Amino acid sequence: MPLAYPPFKSCPCGSGRSYGHCCGPLHAGQAAATPEALMRSRYAAYALGDSAYVQRTWHPDTRPAALDLRDGTRYLGLRVHGAQGDEVTFTAQLRLPDGERYALRERSRFTQLGGAWVYVDGDTPDV
């Protein structure tokens, strides 16, 4: 079950907007207008433990059968490096369950399925 998150607080995706005016409406069912908006909302869903949203916004050909977000990982911040076409490059700062800090850098690919953006896959770009 996802964490309850007040709509007036800053969105976990780091946009600077309130959750109620950023990722909250997407988590409630509104379609993302762009791949970047979807990527931000997926990061926020990971941070809030909303595995149902992450699964729902993952392309059915590439999504895992199950996803457990209750492993103790903490999501500390998101930086979007660029968004062009159907790709978004970002770095997510994490604290792993053992306390280690980790930076995940990914170039994510998205596509539209039934008129809605979905995450397809991603890779680690050369730094």
Side-chain angles (χ1 to χ4, degrees), residues 32-39 117:
T34 65
E36 181 180 349
L38 181 63
M39 188 279 307
W117 286 106

Side-chain angles (χ1 to χ4, degrees), residues 57-59 61-63 108-111 118-122:
T57 58
W58 206 318
H59 195 285
D61 291 345
T62 58
R63 77 174 158 232
S108 298
R109 284 176 288 283
F110 300 85
T111 192
V118 293
Y119 171 79
V120 177
D121 61 14

